Amino acid sequence: MGLSIQIFISLILSVVVGLTLGPDSAPWVKQWIAPVGTIFINLIKMMIVPVIFSSLVTGMTGLGDLKKLGRIGAKTFFIYMGTTAVAILLGFASAFLIQPGVGLDMGAATAPEIKAAPTFMQVLVSMIPANPIASMAKAEILPLIVFSIFIGSGIIAVGGKKGMFLTNLFDAFAEVCYKIIGMIMRLSPIGVFCLLVPVVVTNGPKVLLPLLSVIIAAALGSIAHGLVVYTPIIAFLGKMNPARFYKAMSEAMMIAFTTCSSAGTLPVNMKNLIEKLKVKKEVVSFVLPLGATINMDGTAVYMGVCALFVANVYGVPLTMNQMIMIMFTGTLASIGTAGVPGGGLIMLAMVLQSANLPLEGIALVAGIDRVLDMFRTTLNITGDAAVAVAVDHSEKSSDKELIEKMQEEKEMNSIIK
């Protein structure tokens, strides 16, 4: 039985058990069941710092020689980061439209104390850690991300045997983190059960309806992102008919929707781009694997929706500074959770923590994470392909200009001779 099915069954069982026990059992449930859920939350929190540090450094060093990668790497990276930031905004927009979680105020019951949100300038200043080790100890996400980027860039600059040694070291450390997270995610059915039973016991049936609104908001945000962001990229930057693109991509999109695996869809995605859309193989071979590593637009939409959902559930009004923090952290953290089992939940934990929102809210969306994963995986692989089309057209234009320039120089040399 797959883990997602186990979590879904755990969700159903937690609702049944919680409704059966009723509010009279609340003291016993809080004493014996709720602590197990807290342990699961702590296990997730335990891995946030190591997985960001190791994965982000590995992702940076995986880019190789930045000069050699040149304009392809720069264009691809900034387009991915830009679309991810827009995706979070669209997630917020769809969530503000649907307002998931409104009316289910649990703030008085289980929400931890929420600190005052820092100003935007305070965020910018705090991004540069005076003491990186202290930032890691406090699990301060933005300083950790910035420090990791500097370490990765330094390793690339060193190069040679020393650089390769550190690259292999961080890569091995990242693999260890992935394995540990895999172990933790195996416990997620138990963790979700023990987190949700106290919630259902305390709040009753009214806790169930907002989950449907989360799915609707995530689906709406994903569709909007495809229409508002990817279609213009395909049409204007890629100079391709969007209808032709989506027809060629339909096979990969269906596989992504049913398997919820970006890595599993990658071969089909590459095949469709090369054979059906005639995108250069060297562009596809670079842009798509990089996209599978850092392009998390679907997860970004999911984070915007879930962040507002958790804020609504716990009665925490989101300030503009908190929304900027979520957008900024989510965009950068998308690099640091690539390839992590349960990466969506890990990423959501990072974002909630950066905005001082209750991490307990993760339990409310964990049970429907499989459904949400269908939308976000499909959006992720579609974005990879759209950026590949745009970069390919840009490179063809650059190659054409280079050929014309070389031809002009050749003609000029002939005239001089």
Side-chain angles (χ1 to χ4, degrees):
M1 186 181 298
L3 182 61
S4 57
I5 297 176
Q6 294 179 37
I7 294 176
F8 184 75
I9 292 174
S10 175
L11 171 65
I12 301 299
L13 286 176
S14 66
V15 172
V16 173
V17 171
L19 294 177
T20 302
L21 292 177
D24 293 337
S25 63
W28 179 85
V29 168
K30 288 181 179 179
Q31 182 179 359
W32 295 104
I33 296 181
V36 179
T38 303
I39 291 173
F40 176 67
I41 287 290
N42 289 343
L43 286 171
I44 293 179
K45 292 170 68 176
M46 175 182 74
M47 294 309 299
I48 288 178
V49 169
V51 80
I52 289 180
F53 186 49
S54 60
S55 297
L56 195 48
V57 172
T58 302
M60 290 292 297
T61 55
L63 294 175
D65 183 357
L66 295 181
K67 291 183 179 179
K68 182 179 179 181
L69 292 175
R71 59 179 184 265
I72 295 180
K75 281 184 283 193
T76 304
F77 182 83
F78 286 113
I79 292 175
Y80 279 150
M81 291 298 98
T83 58
T84 300
V86 174
I88 297 177
L89 291 177
L90 287 175
F92 276 131
S94 62
F96 274 113
L97 181 65
I98 303 296
Q99 287 295 329
V102 168
L104 183 62
D105 187 359
M106 293 160 46
T110 56
E113 182 182 353
I114 305 300
K115 301 177 182 178
T119 65
F120 181 67
M121 290 306 298
Q122 286 175 330
V123 172
L124 291 179
V125 172
S126 64
M127 282 176 57
I128 310 299
N131 186 340
I133 305 302
S135 296
M136 291 181 184
K138 297 176 183 177
E140 295 173 344
I141 305 301
L142 281 179
L144 174 60
I145 290 175
V146 171
F147 178 65
S148 302
I149 290 174
F150 272 102
I151 292 293
S153 301
I155 293 174
I156 293 173
V158 169
K161 293 183 179 180
K162 293 180 180 179
M164 183 57 66
F165 170 77
L166 288 173
T167 298
N168 293 335
L169 179 64
F170 277 103
D171 184 53
F173 183 41
E175 288 298 325
V176 171
C177 291
Y178 299 157
K179 292 296 183 182
I180 294 174
I181 290 174
M183 297 174 189
I184 295 172
M185 293 310 294
R186 290 177 189 173
L187 301 174
S188 55
I190 299 173
V192 167
F193 179 84
C194 294
L195 282 168
L196 284 182
V197 167
V199 172
V200 177
V201 165
T202 303
N203 296 277
K206 66 180 181 179
V207 76
L208 305 178
L209 294 179
L211 295 180
L212 180 61
S213 62
V214 175
I215 296 174
I216 294 174
L220 181 63
S222 298
I223 294 171
H225 190 72
L227 294 176
V228 175
V229 179
Y230 292 156
T231 300
I233 286 177
I234 296 162
F236 298 111
L237 297 182
K239 302 297 181 184
M240 181 180 290
N241 186 338
R244 178 192 171 202
F245 172 85
Y246 288 116
K247 181 179 179 181
M249 282 295 299
S250 59
E251 180 183 351
M253 292 169 71
M254 286 303 299
I255 291 176
F257 189 80
T258 53
T259 64
C260 298
S261 173
S262 296
T265 312
L266 185 59
V268 179
N269 206 358
M270 296 178 71
K271 181 175 180 290
N272 287 348
L273 282 170
I274 295 171
E275 296 182 1
K276 296 183 179 180
L277 297 179
K278 308 302 179 185
V279 179
K280 283 185 178 180
K281 185 177 180 180
E282 54 268 29
V283 172
V284 172
S285 299
F286 174 78
V287 173
L288 259 62
L290 181 61
T293 304
I294 67 174
N295 185 38
M296 307 280 279
D297 289 358
T299 307
V301 171
Y302 157 88
M303 284 191 300
V305 170
C306 291
L308 186 60
F309 169 67
V310 172
N312 286 341
V313 164
Y314 286 97
V316 181
L318 275 183
T319 65
M320 181 60 67
N321 288 329
Q322 283 176 302
M323 287 189 282
I324 292 173
M325 174 74 79
I326 290 171
M327 184 182 72
F328 201 47
T329 305
T331 302
L332 293 177
S334 65
I335 306 172
T337 53
V340 179
L345 292 178
I346 299 294
M347 206 167 161
L348 181 60
M350 298 176 194
V351 169
L352 293 181
Q353 183 166 304
S354 71
N356 294 318
L357 291 174
L359 285 176
E360 288 79 1
I362 295 174
L364 295 172
V365 296
I368 57 170
D369 190 62
R370 169 73 182 194
V371 179
L372 298 174
D373 202 8
M374 292 178 175
F375 294 104
R376 63 178 183 246
T377 303
T378 304
L379 194 64
N380 285 344
I381 66 102
T382 305
D384 296 344
V387 174
V389 168
V391 172
D392 180 62
H393 177 76
S394 176
E395 288 303 302
K396 286 177 180 177
S397 300
S398 299
D399 292 342
K400 184 178 179 181
E401 291 177 2
L402 181 60
I403 292 172
E404 290 176 353
K405 185 177 180 180
M406 292 175 63
Q407 186 66 31
E408 289 176 0
E409 290 178 354
K410 184 177 180 181
E411 291 176 357
M412 182 64 67
N413 290 335
S414 299
I415 293 173
I416 292 174
K417 289 182 179 178

